Amino acid sequence: MDVLRVEGLKAFYIVESAGEQRAVKAVNDVSLSVRENEVLGIAGESGCGKSTLLKSLLGNIRPPLRHMGGKVTYLQGEREVDILSLGKEERQKLMWQHISYVPQGSLSVLNPVRRIGDTFRSFVGAHLEIKKEPGRFESLVKRHLEDLGLPVDTLKAYPHQLSGGMRQRVTIALATILKPRLILADEPSTALDVVVQRGVIQLLRDIQTEQRNTIVMVTHDMAIHANISDRVAIMYAGRIIEEAPVEQIFMKPLHPYTQYLIGSLPRIGDKSHRISAPGAPPSLVSLPPGCAFHPRCPQAKPICRQEIPALSLAAKEHRVACFLAAKEDADVDSTEAAGSR
Ligand code: SF4
């Protein structure tokens, strides 16, 4: 069952430059669906539009970002809700108990001059009737922290008294205390060292298993996707260019850009030179015609410079936006089919 569906979403930053209005096409015709109880990873180089996509999924589109078209539909109970058509108040009602958000840094969430316990109390109090039921807040927060393996003493601390990793764990605890159906996480372990990073990602995975919620996780780090994501969508220049179950993305990437992304990852014991994609990503203000990857693609054909490849099914649950990859895979499939007859 799909709990979130995105159809033809476009969100552009409209900026003034030298007296002219320009559109930065950060999210450019994105369609995807997220199934109940899965972790969908969104990957791609920085500046590809993945964080803007997450912002748009939250309905958090404020100038200079502008919604240019498309829909973001959540399943709330049996009801379908288009978050981009809701007013601020209605959107707030959907937040935290239904959709929750884990930001990049804990400092935008935790007030530096308040104890962690006070932050939890005002957050929970804004959503549940804790004043009418003495002791409810204390037992709820204690149980939640214990479930997450966090010391209850953390509630007495100020944010600056905690390590970066512990602050991020607290932020995740706050975002999940109301057991949301969906968690949108934006680079939740960036700026942490590798060991702490692993702990934070494992914490999110444990919560997802325990609470049976769905996670949309944005990170440029493919190693994190290998650890937590069930499916991965790769973004390039504002579009999704490949989407597949995580094993397939790593074992058989079809898009040349994804092949570079996977091929450039270091491997234990392999000292060979890793090759990353030549050149640099295009400007989102003036995208090249046709496939936006064509100036960097060694396999580009004349059609690639003229037409934008559609994201189409190349194998089971595997979609790719590449003239060559889609065709090659179709050929392989038909050969296999012929061979098995
Ligand atoms: Fe390369 Fe063409 Fe495929 Fe784009 S559509 S990735 S340019 S082969």
Side-chain angles (χ1 to χ4, degrees):
M1 182 180 24
D2 292 344
V3 289
L4 166 61
R5 248 194 335 267
V6 182
E7 293 161 77
L9 183 66
K10 288 186 181 186
F12 298 170
Y13 292 95
I14 307 297
V15 291
E16 287 264 333
S17 169
E20 250 180 67
Q21 277 209 337
R22 286 164 186 246
V24 181
K25 296 174 180 160
V27 177
N28 196 359
D29 202 7
V30 166
S31 295
L32 56 86
S33 53
V34 186
R35 299 173 202 145
E36 182 147 51
N37 203 218
E38 75 167 346
V39 180
L40 174 73
I42 299 178
E45 287 164 299
S46 57
C48 69
K50 54 192 189 307
S51 287
T52 307
L53 173 61
L54 205 75
K55 239 189 235 182
S56 309
L57 299 188
L58 288 162
N60 187 13
I61 299 188
R62 282 179 290 188
L65 186 61
R66 205 183 285 174
H67 175 218
M68 309 299 283
K71 280 167 74 172
V72 175
T73 311
Y74 285 92
L75 191 65
Q76 188 189 19
E78 299 296 300
R79 205 165 64 103
E80 291 201 339
V81 183
D82 176 4
I83 197 166
L84 298 177
S85 68
L86 299 180
K88 197 175 169 198
E89 234 168 74
E90 286 174 292
R91 212 172 62 235
Q92 282 304 326
K93 280 189 205 152
L94 208 62
M95 284 302 297
W96 308 118
Q97 291 199 59
H98 187 77
I99 309 164
S100 189
Y101 172 57
V102 179
Q104 246 179 59
S106 51
L107 294 178
S108 56
V109 178
L110 304 176
N111 186 332
V113 295
R114 299 189 78 195
R115 291 185 196 272
I116 302 293
D118 295 334
T119 300
F120 267 86
R121 185 178 289 280
S122 40
F123 177 75
V124 174
H127 299 278
L128 302 178
E129 297 279 354
I130 51 171
K131 279 192 187 141
K132 291 182 185 161
E133 294 174 56
R136 184 177 174 196
F137 166 73
E138 286 74 12
S139 68
L140 177 73
V141 77
K142 186 170 176 283
R143 202 173 53 239
H144 187 56
L145 292 187
E146 281 172 357
D147 283 352
L148 269 47
L150 300 179
V152 178
D153 268 4
T154 312
L155 295 170
K156 294 184 195 146
Y158 286 97
H160 72 270
Q161 294 173 313
L162 304 175
S163 66
M166 185 55 94
R167 276 201 302 268
Q168 195 59 357
R169 284 183 171 89
V170 167
T171 304
I172 292 171
L174 194 64
T176 53
I177 192 166
L178 302 175
K179 296 190 171 24
R181 187 171 194 178
L182 242 143
I183 302 167
L184 306 187
D186 188 7
E187 304 267 9
S189 58
T190 297
L192 301 175
D193 71 51
V194 178
V195 177
V196 180
Q197 209 175 63
R198 206 173 300 147
V200 167
I201 296 304
Q202 188 56 47
L203 179 69
L204 264 173
R205 198 29 146 171
D206 292 347
I207 292 171
Q208 191 255 351
T209 309
E210 166 72 24
Q211 297 187 351
R212 302 194 58 75
N213 30 35
T214 302
I215 299 181
V216 179
M217 156 87 77
V218 161
T219 175
H220 66 280
D221 190 334
M222 293 301 286
I224 292 180
H225 287 300
N227 276 321
I228 189 171
S229 301
D230 297 310
R231 284 191 306 134
V232 179
I234 309 287
M235 272 188 94
Y236 185 79
R239 292 176 187 273
I240 289 180
I241 50 105
E242 185 159 9
E243 183 198 296
V246 67
E247 305 81 28
Q248 237 163 301
I249 282 283
F250 280 91
M251 300 302 291
K252 198 184 176 196
L254 295 178
H255 196 285
Y257 173 68
T258 317
Q259 288 167 359
Y260 277 119
L261 216 56
I262 304 294
S264 63
L265 294 174
R267 283 175 175 76
I268 295 169
D270 183 352
K271 293 198 173 68
S272 62
H273 181 60
R274 320 304 307 173
I275 300 168
S276 48
S283 155
L284 297 179
V285 174
S286 53
L287 290 166
C291 171
F293 190 61
H294 89 249
R296 303 173 78 185
C297 182
Q299 299 169 64
K301 302 275 172 284
I303 189 175
C304 307
R305 296 177 186 93
Q306 289 151 15
E307 288 178 32
I308 298 174
L311 189 63
S312 42
L313 205 62
K316 192 168 176 260
E317 294 200 61
H318 197 153
R319 296 193 299 159
V320 63
C322 170
F323 294 115
L324 199 75
K327 186 175 172 297
E328 271 183 0
D329 215 69
D331 287 350
V332 171
D333 285 352
S334 59
T335 317
E336 279 174 2
S340 64
R341 260 179 226 137

